[in-house]
Every structure is written in C-alpha cells, then in structure tokens.
Amino acid sequence: MTKTFFLLALFLGLTAGVGYNQYVNGLKPVASDHGAEIKLTVPTGATTGQIADLLKEKGLIKNSFIFRVYARLHRFDGKLKAGNYTLNTSMSLPQIMSKITGGSVEYITFTIPEGFNIRQIADRLAAKNLINKEVFFDLVANGDFDYDFLNGLPNNEKRLEGYLFPDTYKVTATTTEREIIDMMLARFAREATPEFRQKAQKLGLTLHQAVILASIVEREAKVDKERPKVAAVFLNRMKKGWKLESCATVQYALGQPKARLLNKDLQIDSPYNTYKYSGLPPTPIASPGRASLQAAVNPANVDYLFFVVSQDGRHVFSRTLAEHNRAKAKYIKETFND
C-alpha cells in the first residue's frame, strides 16, 4: 500500500464509515452529460471546509467531506484562491480543485469615463455590485492612503474628488472597496509626475490647484486639442482677478446636471459658484483625464478671456467682451433663460 493510500485509509477510517468506493465516486462529476455552468464566488479568507460547503450548496460536488479529504491528501489546504469562478457540473472534483488552486479567476472590468465626479463613480461601481456605497464613502472621507498628494486635504466625502483617475480597471468579485480606491489613486500618482508638479509650480499653482483647474477644463472642453486654450482662458482670468464664470462649477454646486442653466442657478450661494466667488473652487469638480491634466499645466500661449461652445461642440474664443457677445449672438440664441 502506497503512502497516499495508507493516509487515505487512515483518514477515512476515522470518519463515519466513508469508504474507498464512496471516495472514488465522490471525485466524479455531479453531471454525466454536458452539465450546467455555475458561478461561484470564493470569499477572501474562506477555509477549505467553507469552500467545500459552497461547492456542495451550488451542486458542483457530491460530498463536501470528500472535497476536504482530497484537499488534505494532495496538500491543497491553504492554496485555494479567493475569486469569482465559472464552473460546470460536468467537472470532476479534481478539475474543480485545479481551477480554484490555479487562480483561474473571472475578472470584472469597469470603466470610469473622464469627467465623472465621485458620486457618479460610486454609482457605477455600485451598479456592478463592486462596492457598498457606505463603506466606499467612509473610505473616501477617512481612509488612510499613502499618497503625498492627499496630505492636508480635509476629511470629508469630497476629499478624493479629482484623484480617482478615470480609466479601465480589472478586478475580481472579492476586490475590496479599499483596493479599488487604492488602484485608482495609484493610477493618478503615475500622472502626477515631478515634471507635472514643476510645471504647475511655474504657473503659480499647487498640485491641488492644478487638478482643480484640470477638472474644470475636463467638464468645459469637448475637443482635446482645445483643452490648452480653455485652460489658458481660466488662467488669464485668474491673473486679472476676474471670476472664472464656469458653468461646469455651477452644475457641480447644483448637484444635478441640467441641460441648460437658468439665471437663478447662477445665484446659488456655494463656493463652487464661480459666477459668484472669485478664484478656483475648493476641490476638483470631476476626475480629469490625462489630456485635461496636461492642458492645465501646459496652457496655450494665447490672450483669450472668453469662449463659447458652437453647435458642433467646438469652442469660439474671444479676447474682448464685444467679440464674445458677437460670438454668443452667432452661436447661441439664448445663453440663459429665466
């Protein structure tokens, strides 16, 4: 008798009458035909016994005890990997074990578009069942993340606004809220290079201010090549001590997007209302992508002070109020309605 069979006989002998034939039968697939595809999520930290019970509940194995015996005999204890798996009832127990120990995890992909604010990000992640919103926002406000660009930011639900970088990410069903936030912050860190920071400093901007400006550019500009000009307009207005008068910041203050702002909307008393208050708002208003971040620290060398969006989404830039009014008359019938 080999060592394996000796161990098997000894182990089964200590159980309530589970014999060798039952063991062999328990290794066979539940279904003898093509079977049924079944999704299985193995939670982080699950024990071999807990995983065995999950497999039995899902109808993927015949006997959870035999699964534990097999794992012990083949030294798979502690090697089963958390994740989201697609299994089939036609798979044998060894095949299932191989897949779970091999980490053949089913990944979930999500994309955060440029210009999403933190609530839109949370909504998208929640829609994919990737986060608990309460946990997510608590981490946004109070989570300890080791990135220097977060130093000094106040602990509130807007703390990470603008820093959760818009991109496509790949996670598993067991990826935590903290891990998702951290990977998005790490992606932003790749953009916040020393060169980026130096360029911001030359413009008289802190890193935080550069991100705020980039977020406004992201929400205002529709065409990538025009983003440096849009950034230049806001920087030129700041140099003159003018209000930015960005509709995008007012939209953020309102909390809900509107197809067209009304004159009464411009009266909202909020530090994000750049028609009412001078300077940049206190935080970014969205997550800027690379094009907007680069535009914020590489503004076009122009003296424009105004712009208006034409019907095709492009901008018409003006140096004087008279030029701007003519552009508005040409491209917009009515900028605001009461």
Side-chain angles (χ1 to χ4, degrees), residues 216-222 230 234 245-248 307 309 315:
I216 297 173
V217 172
E218 186 65 63
R219 296 294 296 146
E220 289 280 3
K222 307 300 180 187
V230 172
F234 290 124
E245 296 187 355
S246 164
C247 293
F307 62 78
V309 181
H315 292 77

Side-chain angles (χ1 to χ4, degrees), residues 252-264:
Y252 187 79
L254 293 172
Q256 295 290 335
K258 297 183 69 172
R260 175 173 288 180
L261 292 176
L262 307 177
N263 279 328
K264 67 179 181 180

Side-chain angles (χ1 to χ4, degrees), residues 268-323:
I268 183 172
D269 189 12
S270 165
Y272 292 91
N273 183 355
T274 55
Y275 280 83
K276 190 176 183 68
Y277 294 98
S278 299
L280 292 165
T283 73
I285 60 171
S287 290
R290 174 178 291 176
S292 292
L293 284 167
Q294 287 300 313
V297 297
N298 296 285
N301 185 20
V302 294
D303 57 357
Y304 297 131
L305 291 164
F306 306 91
F307 62 78
V308 65
V309 181
S310 63
Q311 291 181 348
D312 65 359
R314 296 181 181 274
H315 292 77
V316 178
F317 296 91
S318 305
R319 294 174 177 83
T320 68
L321 182 59
E323 289 178 359

Side-chain angles (χ1 to χ4, degrees), residues 83 143 147 214:
Y147 297 96

